[in-house]
Amino acid sequence: MTMNMKHDEDIKSIAVIGNYLPRRCGIATFTSDLVEGLSSLSPDIDCWTVAMNDRLEGYSYPEKVRFEINQNKLTDYGIASQFLNISGADIVCLQHEFGIFGGAAGSHLLKLLGELHMPVVTTLHTVLKDPDPEYREVMGKLSDLSDKLVIMSHKAEDFLHDIYGVPREKIAFVHHGIPDMPFIDSSFNKDKFEVEGKKVLLTFGLLSPGKGVETVLQALPAVLEKHPDVVYIILGSTHPHVLKSEGEAYRIMLQQMVQKLGISRQVIFQNSFVALRELGEYLGIADIYISPYPQEAQITSGTLAYAMGTGKAIISTPYWYAVEMLAEGRGKIVPFNHPGALAEQINALLDNDGERHAMRKKAYTFTRGAVWKDVSRQYLEIFREVRQNRIRHPRPRYSYVEEIKAITRFDLPEIKLDHLKALTDDTGILQHANHTIPDRTYGYCTDDNARALLVAILGQKYLPTNGFGLDALAGHYLGFLLHAYDAESGRFRNFMDYSRQWVEEIGSEDAHGRALWCLGKAVAYLDNPGQLSASTILFKKALGVVENFFAPRAVAFTLLGLDAYLCKFSGDSDAKRIRDILADRLFVQFKDHGTEGWPWLEDVLSYANAKLPQALIVSGSRMQRTDLMNMGLGCLKWLLAIQTDSHHFVPIGSNGWYQKGGKRTRFDQQPIEAKAMVEACVEAYTLTRDRQWFESAVMCFNWFLGHNDLNMPLYDPKTGGCRDGLMVDGINQNEGAESTLAWLLSLMTLQKLYADEVFNQPLSRPLDLK
């Protein structure tokens, strides 16, 4: 019996989830070092990695990486959990930082953890003191799904217990690992770096605006007055994400500051991501290491740990990790953003060799327990402890796990934007295509460019579309809308020919409403400040005429835009006033015209029908009017019933529509109808939590994939586009803008729904498995 228990407790395989070198970030370095440390400590244990990718092409990983996850692709997380379960891993060690996982507050990760069979030990690289609700929620679920939480500072333990309610026995403290480097004299290698005879100040790490380097530069003139032999080395390449979004703007700003301060001969920018050996040499030549973070919310710092581990005299701002690590004379603390105090402290240390060397020894001695050999041993002890506990006390499955499996059992296709880009030129998106070839004969329209803007915005905000250039596309489509708006009439023009000439003075009310719908969404979701400002101004201008709109679809689209806009600017009194007028107008139109057998506001069902009840549902929810909501839900249920046959979606045909008292037309079936139903059903599900609406959304979506009257898919997986319609004798093979955008918006709507459901599922109770 004892022998069997011993055998059960043996660990043969450890899987570590996190970023991994050659990806450039602190967590990639940490994960790589931890895996190598565990492998060196216990060669008989198979230690390997599941790597998180922040770009579609991934990285050229070493053999230790056996599986890769696109951080924004929800289905990858489920597949990864299957891979881990099949692999036979005894322990999963997760490296957690909110920003490296997809979904709201990194919630995609919960799907993976919820389906794992083995114990999970989670290392927390960030613990927030004042979390937004979604971050608090994710941290709570992460704690529940983890067997142990490892933190690297004692303040993090206090935060977890006091703020998140995590029991202290579930928390383990382990130092941030560091390489085992010798304690050497800083003069030893200075000639190699051409700083012989100089006093070297050093800051290293990926460069970004949150590092506080400008404070050090501002302090240097006062230092150089007393110590003209000082040089300051700024070591590190620009953070890849900053480089992608802002280029080298921060580095250039620092370089310009250096020129303005007249210290260019004393400041060295080393723009490179150095290997460990070279990093050790740079640290070796430093007389003082400076860690100038501009705010306290830094619960750990690998760069500070490395500097202490090489026995550096350190000056830091009072962020949480530094205050703890540099206590008892292991370093000096200066106020945030205070060049004068920093200069004074640098001068004091340079003037006092004895104090500086005593500080070095204290830091070096304190971090001997943080070398990777000891840290790896502590991790292995934790792994054995949690595995033993799991064997002795099996954890109940949570109902959360089963709910997630039920929600995401239907895999969604990849988002592919090839055809969207093919239809887009330097003016905007073209209306039509001859098969997959853009057809310039019919030019452009505001309708399609508004919907294309929405695709670009939703793609940036929620979905696995890294590297697709959506920010630039959003600017393109928004530029079209800005040009389409006629300030004199206050209206959007709709149709433009290929020579960029408008073919009408004023577009339809429907086109105006559709533009407002997409602009309202833009205001709610855009992060780009320039695009957000332009969208907000245009939305407000275009809103001025809608009080005179009576066309039902124009009113409905405007209401949907207003609802999104008010998510961002809930206090806009004028927007709320117009919303109330239009919502009541649409409600009265339904109430006055609808009958028991025909609860519709017109005598014909034509196009984009589901947008009308959707507008009632969302407006009623926002206005807390159950009469609007119930009217909308009832009409949507009726629409669903008359457009469902043999468990598949059958949209109203455009070749005659459906006249009251007549026979509904079966063909031609348009993608825009499926899209409208998908969006309306998702909205109904979100507000009511009635599972039937979820299933109905999936049924309508499946129309694109071939679950339709002809059992033929309209989605084109080769181009990412969508064919123009289902006809009585087959499929219209042209892939125009309206159809392609209808497909992409439907796909994105379900992608977002899946992600939201993973986040929203409660960990309410253990699942009864009897």
Side-chain angles (χ1 to χ4, degrees), residues 70-330:
N70 179 333
Q71 69 177 44
N72 289 317
K73 187 179 177 186
L74 180 61
T75 52
D76 275 10
Y77 291 80
I79 297 169
S81 66
Q82 295 174 32
F83 184 88
L84 285 161
N85 288 332
I86 294 171
S87 75
D90 299 303
I91 292 285
V92 163
C93 182
L94 170 70
Q95 304 307 309
H96 184 266
E97 164 70 59
F98 289 105
I100 71 172
F101 304 104
S107 57
H108 283 3
L109 172 68
L110 303 176
K111 176 175 172 60
L112 189 162
L113 298 182
E115 297 179 7
L116 292 178
H117 298 161
M118 70 291 291
V120 176
V121 174
T122 297
T123 304
L124 299 175
H125 292 259
T126 294
V127 182
L128 301 175
K129 180 182 179 182
D130 300 301
D132 290 336
E134 64 267 28
Y135 288 89
R136 182 188 293 273
E137 183 75 13
V138 168
M139 181 60 78
K141 291 175 180 176
L142 178 63
S143 173
D144 285 336
L145 293 168
S146 301
D147 294 74
K148 205 81 168 180
L149 298 176
V150 176
I151 41 83
M152 292 173 274
S153 71
H154 295 290
K155 182 168 281 290
E157 178 180 352
D158 293 339
F159 284 177
L160 285 175
H161 181 265
D162 299 341
I163 298 171
Y164 299 92
V166 179
R168 290 194 183 273
E169 59 269 20
K170 196 171 189 174
I171 306 169
F173 170 82
V174 180
H175 273 298
H176 189 296
I178 59 172
D180 192 359
M181 294 184 180
F183 186 86
I184 63 173
D185 187 277
S186 62
S187 300
F188 189 73
N189 277 325
K190 284 185 177 180
D191 58 333
K192 181 176 179 179
F193 293 91
E194 300 181 353
V195 290
E196 192 172 11
K198 303 286 188 181
K199 294 296 185 183
V200 177
L201 313 180
L202 174 70
T203 297
F204 86 90
L206 292 171
L207 197 61
S208 66
K211 299 296 185 181
V213 173
E214 55 267 43
T215 304
V216 186
L217 296 179
Q218 291 165 352
L220 275 182
V223 174
L224 291 167
E225 283 184 15
K226 291 193 67 176
H227 299 277
D229 58 344
V230 161
V231 295
Y232 178 40
I233 299 175
I234 303 167
L235 173 64
S237 57
T238 300
H239 195 290
H241 291 172
V242 174
L243 192 63
K244 184 177 179 181
S245 62
E246 302 174 20
E248 291 285 13
Y250 181 61
R251 185 181 298 274
I252 291 170
M253 182 275 288
L254 294 177
Q255 291 169 341
Q256 290 174 335
M257 180 181 289
V258 166
Q259 292 291 330
K260 184 177 180 180
L261 293 170
I263 54 176
S264 57
R265 295 173 64 88
Q266 289 81 29
V267 178
I268 300 170
F269 288 91
Q270 189 62 41
N271 187 0
S272 60
F273 187 82
V274 296
L276 177 60
R277 180 176 177 179
E278 189 176 0
L279 173 59
E281 291 177 343
Y282 272 104
L283 283 165
I285 67 171
D287 294 284
I288 298 177
Y289 182 80
I290 303 176
S291 185
Y293 284 109
Q295 54 187 7
E296 68 175 357
Q298 191 76 23
I299 205 68
T300 187
S301 169
T303 57
L304 181 65
Y306 273 44
M308 294 181 71
T310 51
K312 296 293 101 180
I314 297 171
I315 302 174
S316 174
T317 50
Y319 58 90
W320 297 324
Y321 187 66
V323 170
E324 184 173 317
M325 292 293 285
L326 300 181
E328 300 177 356
R330 295 186 291 268

Side-chain angles (χ1 to χ4, degrees), residues 514-584:
R514 191 174 288 108
L516 281 171
W517 163 49
C518 296
L519 283 168
K521 291 281 191 180
V523 172
Y525 295 139
L526 271 172
D527 292 322
N528 183 305
Q531 294 178 5
L532 174 59
S533 176
S535 299
T536 304
I537 292 170
L538 183 58
F539 181 87
K540 289 290 289 181
K541 286 180 178 178
L543 199 60
V545 299
V546 300
E547 288 185 60
N548 298 317
F549 283 6
F550 286 86
R553 284 160 188 79
V555 170
F557 280 121
T558 302
L559 283 170
L560 293 171
L562 279 163
D563 182 75
Y565 171 85
L566 287 168
C567 287
K568 183 87 170 190
F569 297 113
S570 58
D572 190 325
S573 300
D574 191 49
K576 287 192 288 186
R577 180 185 63 79
I578 295 172
R579 186 270 317 274
D580 292 352
I581 291 171
L582 296 184
D584 194 62

Side-chain angles (χ1 to χ4, degrees), residues 278-440:
E278 189 176 0
L279 173 59
E281 291 177 343
Y282 272 104
L283 283 165
I285 67 171
D287 294 284
I288 298 177
Y289 182 80
I290 303 176
S291 185
Y293 284 109
Q295 54 187 7
E296 68 175 357
Q298 191 76 23
I299 205 68
T300 187
S301 169
T303 57
L304 181 65
Y306 273 44
M308 294 181 71
T310 51
K312 296 293 101 180
I314 297 171
I315 302 174
S316 174
T317 50
Y319 58 90
W320 297 324
Y321 187 66
V323 170
E324 184 173 317
M325 292 293 285
L326 300 181
E328 300 177 356
R330 295 186 291 268
K332 293 291 186 180
I333 299 293
V334 296
F336 294 113
N337 305 308
H338 200 310
L342 178 57
E344 183 179 344
Q345 196 57 253
I346 293 171
N347 284 328
L349 282 181
L350 291 177
D351 287 339
N352 192 332
D353 291 346
E355 182 183 8
R356 194 168 73 250
H357 292 313
M359 185 188 299
R360 292 182 60 205
K361 291 177 183 178
K362 288 180 180 179
Y364 189 78
T365 302
F366 180 77
T367 54
R368 290 312 82 205
V371 297
W372 274 114
K373 182 177 181 181
D374 288 336
V375 166
S376 299
R377 183 179 292 110
Q378 292 175 66
Y379 268 95
L380 196 55
E381 289 172 357
I382 292 170
F383 296 159
R384 286 173 175 147
E385 175 194 337
V386 299
R387 178 164 165 76
Q388 184 180 61
N389 287 342
R390 180 67 73 89
I391 291 170
R392 293 177 177 176
H393 309 288
R395 290 185 61 178
R397 297 287 299 283
Y398 282 97
S399 59
Y400 170 83
V401 178
E402 298 305 315
E403 288 294 328
I404 294 302
K405 285 183 176 179
I407 289 165
T408 57
R409 69 182 185 276
F410 170 69
D411 286 341
L412 298 171
E414 295 272 2
I415 292 175
K416 192 172 184 179
L417 300 181
D418 292 13
H419 192 55
L420 177 75
K421 291 182 177 181
L423 289 172
T424 302
D425 63 15
D426 59 352
T427 299
I429 190 167
L430 291 155
Q431 288 190 74
H432 295 290
N434 187 346
H435 289 262
T436 61
I437 304 166
D439 186 347
R440 292 165 173 80

